[in-house]
Amino acid sequence: MTIKPWVIGNWKMNPVQQKATALVSELVELVQANDNIAQQCNIALAPTMLHLLSVKQQLQGSSIHSVAQDVSRVSGTGAYTGEVSAELLADSQIEYVLIGHSERRELFADDVTNLTAKIQNALNVGLNIIYCVGESLEQREQGLAEQIVLQQICDLASAIKNDDDWSKVIVAYEPIWAIGTGKTASAQDAQTMHLAIRQGLAQITEKAQQIAILYGGSVKADNAAELAQCSDINGALVGSASLDAQGFYQIISAFAQAKQV
Ligand code: PGA
């Protein structure tokens, strides 16, 4: 089964409004100039919550999806200052959400309890989730990388009650030591982990062969082609390189070319 790749730009807490507008315009133009690219590769942007709806509006008519960077562990509406629930995202026709990014796990107390609530809230209202996993440098050096990542996959599995919901899941493997550091996992190491993740998923769901597993961590135009060659790498979650439309477009092209569907 061929998986159509995904290249998702995670803007994190960037950029200012004017730059965001210019970045989206430039990217839309690049994508529209090549009819085929969106057929070969799913493209998405995850702006800040502040810019999510204006970016979505600007993307209307293009094939580029909008993604929320997070969702509340609280569902519905109510007195929860600063929170945005899955229901509110769905109400604004946002279809995708990142859950469990390592920055949220490390800096914003996203532990398993919170993540379970977030996953369930998102799936309950029909959102698609991009669930992030990854080990620290220390864990890798201790030979624990696979164990840690597979435990994070088990945490995801425990949160999913309905097997059909696996069709709404994308997994992103992002070794923490490769995020924003300029160090990428070698294509070989990334492929080894992606295969382990797929094998782990296969023990949980029959949909494992259809789940896109993206690599993230210093993906750039010049390393994307090599990563895209790996059979179990179905796309990329791109941080800093997604803040440059040309560079981001080159990453999209690399995956579109390598994974002809
Ligand atoms: P990076 O970030 O590409 O800047 O390393 C990736 C991510 O954290 O999603």
Side-chain angles (χ1 to χ4, degrees), residues 156-169:
L156 168 67
S158 307
I160 296 183
K161 300 290 174 228
N162 177 351
D163 192 59
D164 286 347
D165 280 342
W166 283 100
S167 60
K168 296 198 160 294
V169 173

